[in-house]
Each structure stands twice: as structure tokens, then as C-alpha cells.
Amino acid sequence: MNSVFVYCEVTEDAQVAEVSLELLSKGRKLANQLKVRLEAVIIGSSKSASIAPAVFPFGVDVAHIASHDNLFPYLTLPHASILKHVFEKEKPEIVLFGATSIGRDLAPRIASALKCGLTADCTSLEIGDHTENRTQREYKNLLYQIRPAFGGNIIATIINPETRPQMATVREGVMKKEIFNPKHKGTVKKIDVNSILSDNDFSVSIIEQHIEKSKVDFKNSQIIVAGGYGVSSKENFDLLFQLAEVLGAEVGASRAAVDAGYAEPERQIGQTGITVRPKLYIACGISGAVQHRAGMDQSAQVISINTDPNAPINAIADYTIIGDTAEVIPKIISFYRKNSK
Amino acid sequence: MSFRIICLAKQVPDTRNVGKDAMKADGTVNRAALPAIFNPEDLNALEQALRIKDTRPDAEVILLTMGPARAAEIIREGLYRGADKGYLITDRKFAGSDTLATSYVLSLAIRKLAPFNLIISGRQAIDGDTAQVGPQTAEKLGIPQVTYAEEIISLTDDEIVIKRRLEKGVEIVRATMPLAITVHNSASHCRPRIARLVMQNKHARSVTELQAETRDYTELYQSRPYLQINEWGFEDIQADVEHLGLSGSPTKVKKIENVVLQHKATQVIRTDQEIEALVKELLDAHIIG
């Protein structure tokens, strides 16, 4: 069987991105199960020429490196041309990408070029067998690509029985970054960039890049952490942002919290704010006036964190945690870290 | 020659509207409780196309959708907002298509509408959230792509400048055309329906819809041909059956599990052990994590 490959993203300072290291850790486990090699493809500026020692401890057996000043910052076409070239030659069994704005831009282009299957935003990857119902044909050691679908209402297991590579993207933080062996050594294969790329690969060019805080996005948030007057200070409100970051959630607020200056007006949820319907709504120190409930009572599940056992919000909550937000949120974060894979 | 913009759109179940009645007692999705809507980011995309049309008299906005016969609804929705015409790509042979088979069909339909300057679509559809069809269609057409677009900053005959919304900031890129663009939900909302266009297009129908209705539209269509919603099947786009539907889709669904949204009476939690048990329960149910 051929190798497991990971496309490694390179950061501004010529480091391998966290998400890629997480995927290498997962890729090593899959490779061990399949008894194959783990290979990395690293495409970056000339500064990344000597990047290989950074990935070997994660169990990389072969590091394919393309380094050229044209290759950073990321552009779709040159990276796609190089990957296509490598994969047509190496014929990987599995290829993993980070589900980042780079991975989600690049992976589909490669899947289309190689006419293979791709599953986006996997939350779990496993190796397993499959018997085709119609033909009774058996497939051994397929990649189970497990992901939520249908707005998070179902969990689907996707397989690619016939085509190779089996490709998947995975979000940052889903897999655990683990050193495989600090002394592990692999080999480096330089990719001859000039023989692969042409001027056509540079028809899109970057004029400028800058950090700009994104706007509040409730529409695509499955989880919302919202705070009320009971959060009691702007400092405590920062805890909500920490919890939201850990859970991949958006932060909302009640009218009272906005009026008290704990949160920006665009975060206000309720009759005069925004109406939300997330899968999970965590109400922190929100008493639950009817105006607020109007904006969130369609949430699929509600957790209320409140010092008052008789707060009106508790009547529509599935769970009520009796306690102070400032004490309860750090506990949730640590229990989440302890128990998530 | 016109400046042709092809807008890709999908009719989707409104998965954002997951209220307490969206799951049936047996834990399966209650599709009847989820209305079919114009995919939200495709509306952001349509707005970008219409803005180009606002500034260029030679621009022509063509809406292209693949789906069942009822997806003609979103073509009418697009006409009400300012699209010039619409094509519905529909065939039973397309059923079960994954993103690769879908992009194959779309690319054939687009080739039939060539020459074009821009393909604009939403970044992703809310029923699958894959964000794959845009880039895959671009690859099949052999044209470059700019994903996560938030705003078209400038446009000339040869060059387009686009602001992209990425995880940690923004990026401004310059590109040549033809080009495929996928639009992020942080882009401007789509303009509302325009009363004049609703009056003008409310009788727009596809052939399948005409056959299902009893009223005779023949005369109306002879005098107002723009009311025809074009319908193409697999033969019209000369598709290879092998590349369609389930046989053209490398990904297969092995298993579906429902995320059971149970509503119990409020459970009161006071101890650390109980908080940890709740976190574990939410992780096991895939509500978080």
C-alpha cells in the first residue's frame, strides 16, 4: 500500500502551521495502522528549504519540499500544480489537509484534478472495512471520514472505496499534536519547482494582506456563548470569549450586558437585537427576560449558568448550572480539554 | 459582446432553522419542518454580480442551478432581484451526485454558456458546508479561482481586484478573467426583490412546471419569451453518464447517525462532577467538539 500524505501549511516565519502538525500526528497513527510511510509536502518561500527537521519528530518518513520565494504567501494555482505533480507520481493512499482558508481552497482543486473523493471538515478519521451491499464486494482498510452534515443534525461516515487518494480536510484543534519520536529521522526530497510551474500559475497575485478583526458571525455558529448583566464585569466577559474560542462558538450578549458596556452592540441577542437558533446556547449570567428569550428560545439546547436557581431563563434551559459565571466557565474549559480527543 | 457573469446557486433545506420541531421523535431529521431556500451565500454572490451589472450596461447575469424541478423557484427569486435569465440543470441521472459529479455537470453547462467573464457562487451551501463545488468547477473549466471573496474592489475589461476574508484578516488580490469567485457570508446582503421585476417575471416557468400546470401559457411565451426558464437534462449538456450521480461520485455515505436532540426537564447541576458529566455528555452527542 502507498503512503499517507499531509499537506503542510507554512507560516509567515517559515514554521509549519499548528494544524499541519496535528495532522502529521494523526497521519502517523493512520500510517502505523496501515503499515505504510508518512510523507509530508511542504511548499513555502526559500526560507522553508531547511524546514524538514521540524516535521521529522512527528514521524515523517519523507519530506517533499518545494521552496521558492514565489511560493509564499500561498497562491492557489502554484501550490495546486506542485501537489498535482507530486501526487500523480507518488499515488498516495490518503491525503490530509487542514480545513483552513488555504486547505479548503486547495484540496477541492486537487480532488477535481485527480478525480478522487474529498470530505470536508472531518471531526474524526478511522481505518475500517466495508462490504458493498449490492455487489457484496469487500474493501479492506478504508479511511472512514466522519463529519457532521445537514447543519450539524446528522453525523455521516464517508468512504471512497474505488478512488485514490482518499482525501479529507480537518479543522485546527480537532486532532491532537503529539511528538512521535524526537529522534525520528526521515529523508528529504527536493521538488524541482521551475520544471513544474509556468506563468499561467501566477495569473492571480496578492496586492496586500493585513490583519482585520472579523465581524460577528451568528449565522454560521452552531454554538453561542452569551452573557448578561450577571457576568458583572468586562474582565469576566473575556472568559466568555475564551470559552467561545475553545468550543468554536460565537459570543452574544443580552441588552443589559451591552448597555453596561461589557459587549459591542452588534452582539446583542433578543427582540431588539438578533434572533439566533444555534444547536447549543450557553446563557451566562442572563436572567432571561422575555425580550431576550424571544431571540434565542428556538435554540436546540440551552445551558444556563446562573447564581439564581429561580432565574426565568432556567425554565427554558435543558441544563441549569447553579454558580457564578467567573467560576463555572474555567471549569467547563478544563473539563472540555480533559475529555475531548 | 456582453460581459457575461454566470451565477451558481443552489436550493437548500434551511438547516439554520433548526428549532425544537426539526427532529422527529425517532431522532431523524424532519425535512418538512425545514423550508427550501436560496442558499444564503449564493445570495451574497448574486449581489456581487448585480453590483457589476449596476455599473456596466454590457453586463449580463445568468443564474445557473442544478437540482430537482422545484429548484426553478430560486431562478424566479433571482429574476425578481435583477438576474437576466436562468438555467435549471435537472435530470434524474444527477441524483446522488457528490461535489465531484456536481462540478462536472456545472462545468459542462457553463461551457455551453461560454464565452463568459466571471463565474460567481457562494463559498458553500448550508446543507453540506463543503465549499468544494466552486473550486472543483473552476478546475474543470481550467480557470483560476478566488475564494472567500468579500468585496469586488475594482473591475476593468482585463482585470479584477477582490478583497478576500480569511481566518486572520483580509487579503486583496488582482486577477485576470475568466475567473471563478466564491463569495463569503461577510459580503453584502443581497438586495430585496424589486416590485417591477416581480410583476414582470412572476409567470416565469420551466417546461416541467408548465406541464404540471393546467393554464395555457403558449401564447404568453410567444409574446414574452423571457418568461421561459431554460431546462437542460444530461443530453443537453452532453454528459457522460459514467460521471454522473452515484457512479460518478467517488465518495459514498457508509453510515448516518442522527444527533438526537432530546429535551428533558431542566437538569440542575451544582457540583464539579456534574459539570464534567455534562461536558462529556455534550462531547459524546457531538453537540460540542
Side-chain angles (χ1 to χ4, degrees):
Chain A
M1 191 183 278
N2 290 340
S3 303
V4 173
F5 273 71
V6 173
Y7 167 78
C8 292
E9 289 180 30
V10 178
T11 62
E12 190 90 41
D13 45 356
Q15 305 284 313
V16 178
E18 278 296 298
V19 64
S20 306
L21 297 176
E22 293 166 9
L23 291 181
L24 287 174
S25 306
K26 181 67 189 180
R28 183 67 257 175
K29 288 181 193 154
L30 296 173
N32 286 350
Q33 249 182 300
L34 297 171
K35 300 186 176 64
V36 301
R37 293 193 299 187
L38 174 66
E39 307 195 26
V41 184
I42 308 171
I43 305 173
S45 70
S46 53
K47 276 192 284 181
S48 13
S50 53
I51 206 168
V55 297
F56 289 146
F58 293 89
V60 173
D61 298 308
V62 183
H64 301 260
I65 297 182
S67 53
H68 193 287
D69 283 337
N70 272 343
L71 296 174
F72 188 91
Y74 167 83
L75 286 168
T76 312
L77 295 183
H79 282 234
S81 294
I82 291 170
L83 278 190
K84 183 168 173 262
H85 175 87
V86 172
F87 293 162
E88 278 174 349
K89 199 167 113 200
E90 305 286 342
K91 306 207 178 334
E93 180 70 14
I94 292 171
V95 181
L96 306 180
F97 294 82
T100 59
S101 49
I102 291 177
R104 295 176 105 234
D105 178 81
L106 180 60
R109 191 121 190 152
I110 304 296
S112 174
L114 302 178
K115 298 188 175 57
C116 66
L118 168 64
T119 305
D121 295 337
C122 294
T123 50
S124 178
L125 296 170
E126 293 165 17
I127 301 292
D129 300 335
H130 175 66
T131 307
E132 182 64 44
N133 274 338
R134 200 168 45 83
T135 58
Q136 287 301 304
R137 196 174 152 191
E138 285 186 37
Y139 298 87
K140 293 277 177 211
N141 292 326
L142 292 179
L143 181 68
Y144 287 1
Q145 302 146 48
I146 301 161
R147 78 179 298 250
F150 217 75
N153 297 293
I154 58 174
I155 302 288
T157 301
I158 312 288
I159 50 171
N160 318 354
E162 299 287 349
T163 55
R164 294 293 177 274
Q166 306 166 84
M167 302 207 336
T169 69
V170 180
R171 281 189 190 270
E172 180 164 358
V174 171
M175 300 300 172
K176 201 169 162 192
K177 183 176 102 173
E178 282 170 308
I179 297 277
F180 170 66
N181 173 359
K183 297 197 181 81
H184 185 83
K185 283 282 174 290
T187 54
V188 173
K189 279 192 185 172
K190 291 265 175 214
I191 300 168
D192 181 7
V193 176
N194 291 328
S195 73
I196 300 169
L197 298 183
S198 70
D199 287 349
N200 289 337
D201 288 318
F202 294 92
S203 66
V204 177
S205 57
I206 296 169
I207 302 173
E208 77 175 87
Q209 272 183 324
H210 59 269
I211 309 292
E212 192 178 287
K213 223 178 135 200
S214 65
K215 305 167 195 167
V216 182
D217 178 19
F218 288 127
K219 248 192 324 195
N220 287 286
S221 300
Q222 301 284 357
I223 305 173
I224 291 171
V225 180
Y229 194 67
V231 173
S232 70
S233 75
K234 199 158 178 3
E235 289 66 45
N236 286 348
F237 215 91
D238 286 341
L239 290 170
L240 273 67
F241 282 93
Q242 287 175 26
L243 178 61
E245 168 127 18
V246 170
L247 299 180
E250 186 57 270
V251 175
S254 70
R255 174 87 186 252
V258 171
D259 288 348
Y262 301 162
E264 309 97 300
E266 56 264 33
R267 297 194 182 274
Q268 188 181 322
I269 292 168
Q271 208 167 19
T272 54
I274 297 158
T275 299
V276 296
R277 296 179 180 84
K279 225 161 56 172
L280 178 62
Y281 190 89
I282 306 179
C284 308
I286 292 179
S287 63
V290 64
Q291 289 86 345
H292 183 74
R293 286 180 1 223
M296 49 66 70
D297 63 1
Q298 290 294 306
S299 305
Q301 291 229 26
V302 176
I303 297 176
S304 162
I305 305 172
N306 214 300
T307 48
D308 176 8
N310 299 315
I313 188 99
N314 298 350
I316 59 161
D318 299 84
Y319 303 93
T320 300
I321 303 175
I322 307 296
D324 188 60
T325 302
E327 288 165 22
V328 174
I329 288 179
K331 288 180 190 168
I332 295 177
I333 293 174
S334 73
F335 289 138
Y336 176 84
R337 291 220 166 105
K338 184 176 149 198
N339 290 292
S340 67
K341 281 166 219 152
Chain B
M1 208 178 69
S2 73
F3 185 90
R4 181 167 283 184
I5 306 166
I6 301 173
C7 245
L8 307 183
K10 185 181 185 185
Q11 190 181 43
V12 292
D14 190 357
T15 55
R16 294 171 311 172
N17 243 319
V18 178
K20 301 216 180 206
D21 59 348
M23 304 302 282
K24 295 184 200 160
D26 61 0
T28 59
V29 177
N30 181 9
R31 279 170 195 265
L34 299 170
I37 57 165
F38 201 120
N39 179 49
E41 284 187 332
D42 295 339
L43 277 175
N44 296 116
L46 176 61
E47 176 62 23
Q48 292 301 317
L50 295 175
R51 285 184 180 199
I52 294 173
K53 200 184 154 190
D54 290 342
T55 59
R56 287 186 71 117
D58 63 340
E60 174 193 31
V61 176
I62 299 177
L63 208 58
L64 179 66
T65 187
M66 170 175 153
R70 69 179 286 199
E73 288 165 7
I74 67 164
I75 290 186
R76 271 189 295 279
E77 211 30 74
L79 296 173
Y80 296 162
R81 291 162 197 255
D84 294 294
K85 56 179 156 180
Y87 288 80
L88 168 62
I89 318 299
T90 185
D91 204 302
R92 284 197 184 158
K93 291 193 164 59
F94 301 157
S97 291
D98 70 1
T99 63
L100 192 76
T102 300
S103 59
Y104 170 68
V105 168
L106 289 174
S107 68
L108 292 178
I110 292 167
R111 279 185 200 281
K112 211 175 148 163
L113 293 168
F116 58 87
N117 301 73
L118 291 172
I119 309 291
I120 307 185
S121 64
R123 171 187 52 157
Q124 61 195 38
I126 55 170
D127 54 346
D129 291 326
T130 71
Q132 287 168 197
V133 170
Q136 291 186 321
T137 304
E139 196 279 335
K140 300 225 175 302
L141 293 167
I143 59 173
Q145 69 196 39
V146 172
T147 53
Y148 293 80
E150 184 172 84
E151 188 189 349
I152 293 172
I153 292 174
S154 69
L155 174 70
T156 64
D157 284 343
D158 318 304
E159 195 182 270
I160 184 164
V161 175
I162 300 168
K163 179 177 170 192
R164 302 178 69 210
R165 167 66 53 182
L166 307 178
E167 289 127 345
K168 289 173 183 113
V170 298
E171 181 177 279
I172 295 169
V173 297
R174 179 186 290 127
T176 55
M177 290 168 280
L179 177 74
I181 302 172
T182 76
V183 178
H184 192 258
N185 63 31
S186 60
S188 305
H189 291 292
C190 193
R191 61 197 62 188
R193 297 172 174 186
I194 296 159
R196 178 183 57 81
L197 294 175
V198 174
M199 292 305 291
Q200 183 185 309
N201 293 299
K202 65 183 178 188
H203 295 296
R205 291 293 182 276
S206 68
V207 174
T208 306
E209 285 178 316
L210 285 182
Q211 286 165 350
E213 289 179 19
T214 48
R215 199 175 144 195
D216 184 11
Y217 281 81
T218 322
E219 203 175 302
L220 191 65
Y221 281 162
Q222 273 163 6
S223 58
R224 293 153 74 186
Y226 59 86
L227 290 179
Q228 177 83 45
I229 294 177
N230 306 278
E231 229 173 12
W232 285 348
F234 90 101
E235 282 170 332
D236 296 301
I237 56 171
Q238 296 176 304
D240 177 349
V241 183
E242 276 300 294
H243 294 145
L244 300 177
L246 287 172
S247 64
S249 298
T251 58
K252 313 281 177 205
V253 177
K254 178 168 172 63
K255 193 170 74 174
I256 294 281
E257 284 172 88
N258 291 293
V259 176
V260 182
L261 305 174
Q262 279 181 346
H263 287 279
K264 313 157 202 162
T266 298
Q267 191 182 328
V268 178
I269 291 169
R270 294 175 191 273
T271 67
D272 287 3
Q273 287 79 4
E274 286 170 340
I275 295 176
E276 182 165 15
L278 170 61
V279 170
K280 277 187 182 163
E281 191 181 326
L282 294 172
L283 277 165
D284 289 343
H286 302 283
I287 307 276
I288 59 175

